[in-house]
Amino acid sequence: MICAKPSMWTAGGTLAEVIAFLSGLDYAARFADPEGETLDDESPRLLLNWLTSEFSLPGTAANSNWIPGLLNRYATEDAALAAMQEFAASLPPEVDKRFAIPPRE
């Protein structure tokens, strides 16, 4: 949903803002559970893993090549966001594509 309507979730709807938003969600999720439970199978983490596997170069920070790599492959931000949305839609049905941090008990 974030990739489909980026300006609804970010200030300007840019590719960089969407990636920053997803990274922030993932970071918050990793520290939301005081027991240290990770959410490796949630859609933001899986999407970030895809970006890392497709667009990171060895010896560089994982996210330093995502945007140039996406734009090199897809030419425009809209096409890159559509590719990210397509990847998210291809995730197995058991993956919740609506991100939610589990409530504390």
Side-chain angles (χ1 to χ4, degrees):
M1 190 160 193
I2 295 165
C3 295
K5 298 181 185 234
S7 59
M8 187 171 138
W9 298 93
T10 67
T14 67
L15 181 60
E17 289 174 330
V18 168
I19 289 174
F21 184 88
L22 291 168
S23 296
L25 274 176
D26 181 63
Y27 184 81
R30 293 190 172 281
F31 293 96
D33 187 348
E35 301 299 318
E37 181 181 332
T38 61
L39 302 173
D40 290 334
D41 61 347
E42 296 290 333
S43 56
R45 169 66 5 219
L46 296 173
L47 182 56
L48 295 174
N49 287 345
W50 175 73
L51 291 171
T52 298
S53 69
E54 290 290 314
F55 303 107
S56 289
L57 298 174
T60 62
N63 61 358
S64 67
N65 297 300
W66 293 347
I67 293 172
L70 282 161
L71 294 176
N72 185 47
R73 185 177 300 173
Y74 299 107
T76 67
E77 287 198 8
D78 287 341
L81 288 167
M84 291 169 63
Q85 184 179 5
E86 184 178 320
F87 173 81
S90 75
L91 293 171
E94 63 270 12
V95 173
D96 188 356
K97 293 166 189 75
R98 302 163 301 148
F99 183 78
I101 296 173
R104 293 184 182 183
E105 295 180 12

